[in-house]
Amino acid sequence: MKPSQPTNTANTRIARTVGVSFKVALLTATAMAVSVATAQNTGKLKVGLMLPATGTFASLGTAIENGFKLYVQQQGGKIAGREVEYFKVDDESDPSKATDNVNKLIKRDNVDVIVGTVHSGVAMAMAKAAKDSGTLLFVPNAGADAVTGPMCAPNIFRSSFSNWQPGYATGEVMAKKGFKKVVTITWKYAAGDESVKGFKEAFEKSGGQVVKELSLPFPNVEFQALLTEIAATKPDAVFTFFAGGGAVKFVKDYAAAGLKKTIPLYGSGFLTDGNLEAQGADAEGIFTALHYADSLETKRDKAFRTAYATTFKLQPDVYAVQGYDAGQMLGIGLNAVKGDLSKKAEFAAAVRAAKIDSARGTFTVSNAHNPVQDFYLRQVVGKENKVVGIASKALADPGRGCKM
Ligand code: PHB
């Protein structure tokens, strides 16, 4: 017998010890699993809000945050029994800081859900981080087509629109109005480029022609040279995508340049939504297409508008609706899995099967997780984006490149 080998008795003792510690380990692991599952179902729900608090889109960020919080407040501060706890990051609408910013929420704060953001370039970085980490992401505005296209994922949802959608709807409207030659003008980044692309797809399909595509870098507002070029080109009309503070200045500069009277200005509805106080008479009469309007007058919309105005002493806009609906979609998914976010497939199936009772009107969610919704034709009358018709019924983004 070699001295290094244990005796039979020693072997038995080792086997017993191993058996006991294995059982202890198993029991400990089971207890831990139970407590994790319990925490998953009943612990606080950590929600990371990544929105712009500064810059040209700051007011959009506020409206989204207010909308989301209104929904949570109406649920008594809890979703599926889990108390909501907020973590916040100002993304400044700056794509170069986006990966660092989203990782503050994912890695530092260890959030369960991220809600954000406004800017398409920032949202792309967020979608990548969400895809890589598996963190649940609700996009309450940014329209980047890729988020519900090639970047689509079971844990990524959008409560707003794809950039293609309002562009396409406005293209349909402008073709029907009989315009033949149009100039487009926008910021040179994903939202501007993709809005124009959607617009062109619909407008050119009906025989219209885009004679010039003008742009300037985001978030620049030095429009003068481009307005001079529009005046010289004399198109039948102009299609534009601008939003937030930049849209306020564009509408004012367009009128000041004397173009409002001669060349009709159209745009996706972000041009005037939430901006009418600041744009004043310069916005009067402008036609836009969007998935929300101020005068829908449905019971659902009235209840939403009253609750929002009472809570925040502000009038709601499309961004507030999108924030609220991000909350509703999260609520639908989380209730379906009784608060257990590890049940990702069931969560997604519930959201995909839902009819979401929104202030904008009922909408559904496509297989790529983007809203399928009506687009309204609106016209500015006083301080309201009034509905004057339907631009496009149940418009679905084509979801090009999404494989799930
Ligand atoms: C975007 O960057 O996707 C974006 C920003 C503001 C809007 C709409 C889209 O109003």
Side-chain angles (χ1 to χ4, degrees), residues 57 60 118-121 141-144 161 163 189 191 241-244 270 319:
F57 292 156
L60 288 59
V118 170
H119 184 286
S120 274
N141 183 70
F161 58 91
N163 289 324
Y189 82 110
F241 164 83
F242 288 111
F270 311 112
Y319 308 106

